[in-house]
Amino acid sequence: MTDHGFGLAVAQFAPTASRAVNLSAIAEAVETAVARGARVIVFPEYSSYFVDPFDDTLTENAEDLDGPFTAALRSLAAERDVVIVAGLLERADDGRRVRNTVVAVAGDGIRAVYRKLHLYDAFGQRESDWVAPGEIAPPETFEVDGLRFGLMTCYDLRFPEVGRTLADAHVDVVLVPAEWVRGPLKEHHWRTLLQARAIENTVFLAGADHPPPLGVGHSMIVDPQGVVLAAVGTTTDVAVAHIDPDAIARVRRVNPALELRRYRVTPR
C-alpha cells in the first residue's frame, strides 16, 4: 500500500465476440491501471465473450473456470502483481445455458468466484433464457493488503440483500462487474444504486460497466459515504482511486447502521 492509499481501478471497455480481442483490451487496461497505482482492477460483466442479442454462440464460447481466459488473467496478474476481477462466460451443467460468472484472479490462481444470482429478466430482456442462475451460498471473498473484497454482478445491484450479505461477510470493498443496459433513466439508476449500496453498508464500492452504445458507461468508485472518488464517462478508459482503508472505521463510528439494524437476510 502506498502513502496515498490503496489503488483500486475500474476498467471500462466493450467486450466483443472475439476472446482474443477482449484479452488484448484487458491487457492494455491492466498496463494503464498499474501505471496509475492500482492493486485491484475491476472489469465489466461478460469480459470474456459478449454478443448482442444473445445467441447460441454463448454456449460455444463458454469456458471452464480453469480455462484459457482465467489462465490468461492469471498470467497478467502474476506479471503485474495485481488481482484482476472480470466477467467470465462459464459452462453450465445442463449444456444448454451458461453461467454468468465473475472471477477474481491473482498470480497464484483464482481467489474468489461469484455466479450472478438475479438474472436480468426485466426491461424487456430475458437473460434467464440463456443463463443459469447462481446458487445461494456463503459469499467468497479475498484479501489484498488487509482489505477484504466481495463480488456481485450488475442486476444484483437492485437487490440490497446481496450487498447486506457481503457486509455480513465483513467485506470492506464490493466489486460490481456490469453490463448496465442503456434506457430511460438507466444512468440515474446505476449511479444511485452504486451509491446507495455503499452508503447503507458503509463500504467502498466499485462498478465497472460497458460503454455506450449498449451500456451506460459511468464506471466509478464510491466511498462509504456515497462520494464518487473516481469515474469514467462514456469512453473506454480506466479510473483509479487511492482509497483510505481507515475511512470505513471513521464512517462507522459516526453512522453505526450495521450495528443498529434489527433484521437479518435469509434466502427465499
Side-chain angles (χ1 to χ4, degrees):
M1 193 179 302
T2 70
D3 293 338
H4 304 291
F6 181 95
L8 174 62
V10 286
Q12 181 167 291
F13 86 107
T16 70
S18 168
R19 288 178 287 181
V21 168
N22 295 339
L23 282 169
S24 177
I26 288 169
E28 183 176 346
V30 167
E31 291 298 313
T32 301
V34 169
R36 297 175 184 175
R39 294 277 289 115
V40 172
I41 308 160
V42 188
F43 287 88
E45 184 180 18
Y46 293 113
S47 282
S48 68
Y49 183 87
F50 184 74
V51 289
D52 179 68
F54 285 169
D55 58 29
D56 291 336
T57 63
L58 291 181
T59 52
E60 296 167 10
N61 288 275
E63 302 183 13
D64 293 329
L65 275 181
D66 58 354
F69 183 71
T70 52
L73 295 187
R74 180 175 180 177
S75 178
L76 278 171
E79 182 180 347
R80 291 303 184 185
D81 189 26
V82 294
V83 176
I84 300 172
V85 176
L88 165 68
L89 201 61
E90 185 192 4
R91 286 195 181 100
D93 296 335
D94 62 14
R96 181 178 61 85
R97 294 186 294 177
V98 298
R99 290 196 186 277
N100 183 339
T101 301
V102 172
V103 289
V105 182
D108 57 358
I110 296 175
R111 294 280 188 90
V113 175
Y114 178 81
R115 296 178 178 93
K116 190 175 185 179
L117 292 178
H118 300 92
L119 301 182
Y120 189 58
D121 289 357
F123 296 93
Q125 305 291 319
R126 285 284 302 175
E127 189 177 29
S128 64
D129 288 346
W130 303 94
V131 178
E135 296 181 1
I136 295 175
E140 295 187 17
T141 64
F142 66 94
E143 293 191 13
V144 181
D145 292 351
L147 285 169
R148 179 172 290 182
F149 295 80
L151 308 169
M152 72 167 76
T153 311
C154 198
Y155 193 52
D156 286 323
L157 198 60
R158 292 184 181 272
F159 300 84
E161 300 86 0
V162 181
R164 187 49 51 88
T165 301
L166 291 171
D168 283 342
H170 308 294
V171 304
D172 302 299
V173 188
V174 175
L175 309 177
V176 191
E179 202 291 283
W180 200 266
V181 180
R182 288 179 65 83
L185 295 177
K186 294 294 287 296
E187 291 95 337
H188 172 65
H189 292 185
W190 170 245
R191 293 192 202 97
T192 300
L193 291 168
L194 288 169
Q195 292 172 296
R197 298 295 86 84
I199 292 167
E200 70 197 7
N201 294 301
T202 53
V203 295
F204 288 95
L205 197 144
D209 192 23
H210 295 214
L214 294 178
V216 302
H218 299 286
S219 300
M220 67 183 71
I221 300 160
V222 182
D223 82 357
Q225 296 189 92
V227 177
V228 178
L229 301 178
V232 180
T234 57
T235 61
T236 296
D237 203 353
V238 174
V240 178
H242 295 275
I243 66 176
D244 175 10
D246 294 335
I248 298 170
R250 291 198 299 270
V251 170
R252 288 179 179 176
R253 280 196 295 271
V254 176
N255 176 27
L258 292 179
E259 293 182 15
L260 296 175
R261 64 198 172 109
R262 300 178 66 183
Y263 292 91
R264 296 289 176 184
V265 177
T266 57
R268 287 182 63 182

